[in-house]
Amino acid sequence: MSVDEVRMSAPARRRPGPLGALYAGNARAVLYRAFTATKSTNWAVVLSGAFEPVFYLLSLGIGLGPLVGTVEAGDGRAIPYAAFIAPALLATEAMNGAVYDSTWNVFFKIRYAKLYEGMLATSLGPLDVAIGEISFALLRGGMYAVAFMVVMQLIGLNLSWWALLALPAVLLVALAFASFGMGITSYMKSFQQMDIINFIMLPMFLLSGTFYPLSVYPQGVQLVIQALPLWQSVDLVRSLTTGAVSAGILWHVLYLAVMAALGMMLTTRRLRALFLD
């Protein structure tokens, strides 16, 4: 049998699973492949991303902080400026780690390496690929978050025991952005189109209450910002690290959970449309 005949017959051998042809129950193979490739090629690049929020914190939170003084927390308490921006940088770092891995890396694998075509010619289904790739992006975002949380703890910027829940919160943030990022990337066909992602992320980073309270904006602008996923993430993590916890944070959790679910559905549908239909 020729190579082409093997490739054409491989999808028919896909193991039946709970979702039929979509899922073979072997997402761990995709995750292991991503981990092995990163460990052997660009681990230094991945590691360097953990230092970015620390530099922001040292320059703005510690350096500029004494000039700013205190900022009002969600419950009305006055907290140091460094304690105000640190959780925002934590949420942003989780977003960045997840997005960069689920966009640029995925774009290369789809358009140039043709990696997913080979994967889907085996017993793997599109949901296996989606879960595996998104899980690795989640690991990267989580790694950045854990490293930065250790820095926050050493400096004394975790102001409440609620901060222990900040870690699962940032993992949810990473999951939401990674799942949606991979789905959107499947529509991109050139590096110029990929720049749209950076064009969206940078203003969102600056406007989502990262460096100053939402109250500085006009009321209409506040409503727009509150609809942004990064603001939802920042407000969730900041509420936990500062101890300004209320029932309102459940809306943030619901927002991010729905975003993650929709992103996973989008990614699975796109992989199936691109390589199986």
Side-chain angles (χ1 to χ4, degrees):
M1 182 180 290
S2 68
V3 174
D4 290 337
E5 290 174 331
V6 171
R7 288 176 58 85
M8 291 177 64
S9 62
R13 298 195 307 270
R14 183 168 289 116
R15 289 181 293 132
L19 296 178
L22 289 178
Y23 185 56
N26 196 20
R28 62 186 180 277
V30 182
L31 175 61
Y32 180 74
R33 184 266 165 204
F35 175 78
T36 303
T38 300
K39 183 177 65 173
S40 61
T41 57
N42 59 351
W43 63 269
V45 176
V46 174
L47 184 62
S48 65
F51 294 97
E52 181 181 357
V54 177
F55 295 147
Y56 271 110
L57 181 62
L58 292 177
S59 60
L60 297 177
I62 307 301
L64 188 63
L67 299 178
V68 177
T70 60
V71 182
E72 188 176 293
D75 57 0
R77 289 179 295 117
I79 61 174
Y81 183 64
F84 178 81
I85 70 168
L89 294 173
L90 176 60
T92 302
E93 187 65 1
M95 175 192 73
N96 287 340
V99 165
Y100 288 135
D101 207 276
S102 64
T103 55
W104 288 98
N105 287 347
V106 166
F107 175 77
F108 179 80
K109 293 173 183 177
I110 291 177
R111 300 299 174 185
Y112 294 93
K114 307 297 183 181
L115 182 65
Y116 298 144
E117 291 184 35
M119 288 183 178
L120 294 174
T122 68
S123 62
L124 295 176
L127 187 56
D128 294 284
V129 176
I131 292 175
E133 291 287 2
I134 291 170
S135 296
F136 184 75
L138 181 63
L139 287 176
R140 182 172 178 177
M143 180 190 73
Y144 290 166
V146 169
F148 190 65
M149 282 196 69
V150 171
V151 174
M152 289 176 61
Q153 184 64 34
L154 293 175
I155 300 178
L157 299 181
N158 291 321
L159 305 182
S160 168
W161 285 104
W162 283 103
L164 294 173
L165 295 180
L167 181 56
V170 295
L171 291 178
L172 177 60
V173 172
L175 176 61
F177 279 99
S179 58
F180 230 89
M182 187 173 179
I184 292 174
T185 300
S186 66
Y187 288 95
M188 303 299 180
K189 297 182 179 179
S190 67
F191 285 108
Q192 289 74 20
Q193 291 180 352
M194 287 296 295
D195 286 335
I196 297 174
I197 295 175
N198 291 332
F199 181 77
I200 294 174
M201 287 181 60
L202 181 58
M204 188 165 59
F205 167 59
L206 296 175
L207 298 176
S208 296
T210 309
F211 299 112
Y212 29 83
L214 189 65
S215 58
V216 304
Y217 298 105
Q219 185 63 37
V221 178
Q222 290 184 28
L223 296 176
V224 175
I225 293 175
Q226 287 175 315
L228 298 176
L230 184 56
W231 182 85
Q232 299 281 339
S233 306
V234 167
D235 200 59
L236 171 62
V237 178
R238 182 177 285 146
S239 297
L240 293 172
T241 60
T242 61
V245 177
S246 66
I249 67 172
L250 296 178
W251 289 109
H252 300 322
V253 174
L254 178 62
Y255 180 107
L256 295 170
V258 170
M259 179 178 171
L262 292 177
M264 187 70 72
M265 291 172 57
L266 172 64
T267 299
T268 303
R269 288 175 180 269
R270 284 294 297 161
L271 290 177
R272 182 174 186 176
L274 286 172
F275 303 120
L276 294 181
D277 291 345

